[in-house]
Amino acid sequence: MTWSKNHPRQRYHHGNLREALINAALKLIGEKGPAGFTFAEAARSAGVSAAAPYRHFRDRDELMADVACRGFEQLAEGLETAWSAGAPDALAAFDRMGRAYLAFARAEPAYYAAMFESQVPPDASPELTKASDAAFEVLRHAAEAVCALMPATARPPALMVALHVWSVAHGIASLFGRGDMARRKLPMEPEELLEAAVLVYLQGLGLGPDR
Amino acid sequence: MTWSKNHPRQRYHHGNLREALINAALKLIGEKGPAGFTFAEAARSAGVSAAAPYRHFRDRDELMADVACRGFEQLAEGLETAWSAGAPDALAAFDRMGRAYLAFARAEPAYYAAMFESQVPPDASPELTKASDAAFEVLRHAAEAVCALMPATARPPALMVALHVWSVAHGIASLFGRGDMARRKLPMEPEELLEAAVLVYLQGLGLGPDR
DNA sequence: CGATGATGTAAGACCCGTTCACATGACCTG
DNA sequence: CAGGTCATGTGAACGGGTCTTACATCATCG
């Protein structure tokens, strides 16, 4: 039994190294942040030599970009679920989406870090650009439904609304939702802070819930 | 003249190494991002050995934190100047502050990166915490002046307003104001996007400019 | 069975962060 | 001015990381 360790790869070939590396990356990023994540350690954690990962990723950044890509896909899925076709009404669904964004940042810090804190440029790969655009598209679509509630004469551009909401949600998540500035003492939970911001903002657009 | 190079330090002691390292760090961060910045290269750029910086900073992170600290001081100064005692009126001054935030992110990418993208925890040093708090305090003070425009019966907490505005400004700066997601095609300049967001938001608070 | 291509390994070049013993020299003190 | 002291800088060395290159293994298919 001398060969038995945690995951004693006996076969020369791993069989599923690409996925194993991505999982290792996710675990490591979650534990030590995107900067602490190391190609070599991911390899070690998968039980292969330090050179093996280069058969599956051009370099460390490409792995990071792949993780970020999957993160955007998960985020899009989460937002889509929260929106759930705008039921029961667009405003309630919109609010759920905001919470879903913060929930994602909190529940998947590794994905979130890879997506936004890893220095990976958004155009690192076509897939990444596409995944990120797709996630935004979910929000944009919701914004369109919300804008449709307003009289056509005073209807703001849905794209602008989507950008505003994305920005404030991202700002809150970055500043207060996680490690970064999380130490700043908030008078409320990030979720409440975001909900209040969106409520005030929609009110400013003439979409008060009490009209 | 064999000893003449760029800045041929002839004296054994540099004389002002601390400042030289900080300047080198700023230049390098600006050129290659906070991740690309290297203690060794800063030392090289200052013309000293790789071990010399350790006489002035405990480690690389402490240098980064020092840069971030100066960044917050500069930001606070910029916001204070933009606010300029709330003249001619609080709303106009508030708008200037938002623009000043984005201007800072654009004009000082090295500082901005050290402050928000360098993985330096906000409590890395007491000075950093203090500088960051001071910058926020400027915004908070302005928010208080803006809230004072409203009837006391319908006055929102100034802290909340400050947090909302800081969040949306930071979100826009992070997502669209610089390298990160700057590639996303915006229908407007970040400054206009922020101004519109704040206008809608203040309107939602009952502070329409046309009342 | 034998060739071939995908996948993994070993070793090494090069860089970084960090430490340690030692060198230099600014400055103070007698 | 002599000598001591302390801050500051040097060189060498360690451990670890990225990435490349030459070689090993093995699944697959003619």
Side-chain angles (χ1 to χ4, degrees), chain A:
Chain A
M1 291 287 219
T2 77
W3 41 261
S4 89
K5 286 178 65 174
N6 262 352
H7 290 296
R9 184 175 49 94
Q10 287 154 265
R11 293 175 309 293
Y12 186 89
H13 290 89
H14 182 287
N16 200 11
L17 185 52
R18 187 170 231 274
E19 287 301 316
L21 287 172
I22 290 175
N23 289 334
L26 226 40
K27 194 182 59 185
L28 292 174
I29 295 172
E31 284 168 3
K32 307 189 294 188
F37 154 67
T38 264
F39 221 26
E41 191 162 356
R44 225 175 291 134
S45 156
V48 297
S49 77
Y54 291 86
R55 295 296 178 191
H56 299 272
F57 301 94
R58 191 171 8 83
D59 55 23
R60 178 185 180 282
D61 285 351
E62 193 176 286
L63 206 190
M64 195 69 102
D66 195 293
V67 172
C69 190
R70 290 168 182 237
F72 276 110
E73 287 164 7
Q74 288 223 184
L75 175 59
E77 198 179 312
L79 295 181
E80 192 77 59
T81 299
W83 174 246
S84 71
D89 63 277
L91 258 39
F94 204 59
D95 183 55
R96 276 201 312 268
M97 266 189 56
R99 293 174 176 275
Y101 191 100
L102 296 185
F104 177 82
R106 206 197 296 266
E108 302 286 356
Y111 276 125
Y112 194 85
M115 294 155 69
F116 296 115
E117 298 164 8
S118 67
Q119 314 275 120
V120 173
D123 53 351
S125 81
E127 297 84 26
L128 180 57
T129 306
K130 196 179 130 200
S132 140
D133 285 354
F136 180 73
E137 207 51 36
V138 177
L139 174 61
R140 180 195 164 92
H141 177 257
E144 250 149 24
V146 168
C147 287
L149 295 180
M150 307 176 59
T153 59
R155 191 175 292 164
L159 173 56
M160 185 192 76
V161 173
L163 290 172
H164 283 159
V165 172
W166 181 286
S167 294
V168 71
H170 181 72
I172 289 175
S174 297
L175 292 174
F176 315 107
R178 304 166 356 80
D180 246 30
M181 287 239 166
R183 281 287 143 257
R184 212 183 260 303
K185 51 210 165 294
L186 279 184
M188 43 179 84
E189 288 297 298
E191 280 82 359
E192 300 173 51
L193 188 65
L194 176 59
E195 182 173 30
V198 173
L199 281 178
V200 171
Y201 178 82
L202 292 179
Q203 180 90 34
L205 288 178
L207 261 186
D210 329 318
R211 324 200 142 192

Side-chain angles (χ1 to χ4, degrees), chain B residues 75-87 89-105 134-146 161-163 165-166 169-170 191 194-195 198:
Chain B
L75 175 60
E77 198 180 312
L79 294 181
E80 192 78 59
T81 299
W83 174 246
S84 71
D89 62 276
L91 257 40
F94 205 59
D95 183 56
R96 277 201 312 268
M97 266 189 55
R99 292 173 177 275
Y101 190 100
L102 295 184
F104 177 82
F136 180 72
E137 207 51 37
V138 177
L139 174 61
R140 181 195 164 91
H141 177 255
E144 250 150 24
V146 167
V161 173
L163 289 171
V165 173
W166 180 286
H170 182 72
E191 280 82 0
L194 176 59
E195 182 174 28
V198 173

Side-chain angles (χ1 to χ4, degrees), chain B residues 7-30:
Chain B
H7 290 295
R9 185 175 49 95
Q10 286 152 265
R11 295 177 307 294
Y12 186 88
H13 290 87
H14 182 287
N16 199 11
L17 184 51
R18 187 172 231 276
E19 287 301 315
L21 287 171
I22 290 174
N23 289 334
L26 270 176
K27 194 182 59 186
L28 293 174
I29 295 173

